[in-house]
Structures are given as C-alpha cells and as structure tokens.
Amino acid sequence: DAGVIQSPRHEVTEMGQEVTLRCKPISGHDYLFWYRQTMMRGLELLIYFNNNVPIDDSGMPEDRFSAKMPNASFSTLKIQPSEPRDSAVYFCASSPTVTEAFFGQGTRLTVV
Amino acid sequence: DQQVKQNSPSLSVQEGRISILNCDYTNSMFDYFLWYKKYPAEGPTFLISISSIKDKNEDGRFTVFLNKSAKHLSLHIVPSQPGDSAVYFCAASGHNDMRFGAGTRLTVKP
C-alpha cells in the first residue's frame, strides 16, 4: 500500500475562495482523521470518521469548514470561504483502530 | 481544551547525551500513549508507544515512561544523534479518541 495520500501538496489561494483538500486513506483502515498543524497550537484534531461516519467534529473551527467521507477510500476537507488565518499544514491520517495513526504528507495551505 | 500538553516547545542537547521529552495529559480515559516524530515537509511517523498497563517500554535508543498517577509520560533518547533532530509529538488515545500535544522541537548538536 502506498500509504495515506493527500492532494494537493501545496495550495495557494486568495481570501474568499473555496479550498478543497483531498485524502485517500490506507485500504482497510476504519478510522480517518483530519488534523491541522500551526506553530501556535501544534497538531489540532479537526474531525474524525469511523466507517465513513463523522464521530467527532468538535475541533472544526467554524461553519466555514466541512468534511465528508463519501466512501471508505476518499475524504475531503473543504473551507469556504477561506481566510488568511486558515493558512496551515493540514494532515490526514488513517488507522485500523484508534491507536497508531498513519499520516499523509500533508497539504500546505496558504491563503493570501 | 488541550487534553495533551507538551510544555516545552523546544529542546537542545549535545550529541551523545540524553534527550528527555515530557508530556502531560488530563483525561483519565486515555489508555494508550504514543510518540510521533516529524521531519520538515513530511507527515508525523510513529516512533514508540505504551499501554496504560505498563510503566516502561524500550525500543533501542528510545524508552517511554508512563506515570499514570501523575498523568505524565516521557520519552528518553540515549544516546542522542543529530539525525534525531525533529519535532516530537506526544499522543494519547482511548474510547475512540486520539489527541496530540503541540510538539517539542528537538535539536541535537554535533
């Protein structure tokens, strides 16, 4: 397996635009996590899914953020409209259980 | 509400010496603890873990200690090597939840 695959690796967008981050988890993993890494707050859990169902989205900053997992092999994190303070590295991770998580390489988002 | 805290944002040690990274947690429901290592432009990778039924787990140069009563764990690296320079994240899991600390940037000087 190629591991967790995220796209794009880098995204630069203008304030107000919609941004969609994509993730393909490792096959067979029942859990999928979205994290955001910033200098100030480290790795923040935004949302996680179990068997494609959102379990805890309390970390999603506000209504501008939404995440979906339409099937076991794909998830998206959408920001609409984007703001400069959303600039961060966004990581997707998957896990067979809620123990060892396998991370993708991340998407570096810059909102100007 | 930070359930997992790493109070030292950075640590610098000399090559060959011991590195000690600390982590505190607040949720007593956590029963499994992990350390991840992250290099620039890469995702975090799993390093070592410990279950709450143990107080120590060793893997080569890396040892994780768990003090349940204090809700504290630590990662010891000995001897430290320049290639260990990275950001280290502590994580705690339990009851279908996994939380990470803010990370500690370790620099090992030659």
Side-chain angles (χ1 to χ4, degrees), chain A residues 9 31 35 48 56 98-99 101 104, chain B residues 36 41 43 93 96 98-100:
Chain A
R9 289 294 309 277
Y31 289 86
Y35 291 92
Y48 77 92
D56 183 354
V98 190
T99 51
Chain B
Y36 282 78
S93 72
N96 293 330
M98 179 182 279
R99 302 285 168 164
F100 283 79

Side-chain angles (χ1 to χ4, degrees), chain B residues 29-68:
Chain B
M29 301 301 283
F30 290 138
D31 58 8
Y32 196 76
F33 306 89
L34 310 93
W35 285 94
Y36 282 78
K37 180 177 179 179
K38 183 186 179 305
Y39 291 118
E42 295 182 10
T45 55
F46 170 76
L47 183 60
I48 192 170
S49 64
I50 188 167
S51 165
S52 61
I53 62 173
K54 294 187 175 181
D55 54 18
K56 176 183 175 181
N57 187 27
E58 190 172 350
D59 183 2
R61 297 185 297 112
F62 302 91
T63 303
V64 56
F65 295 92
L66 175 63
N67 183 333
K68 289 186 291 293

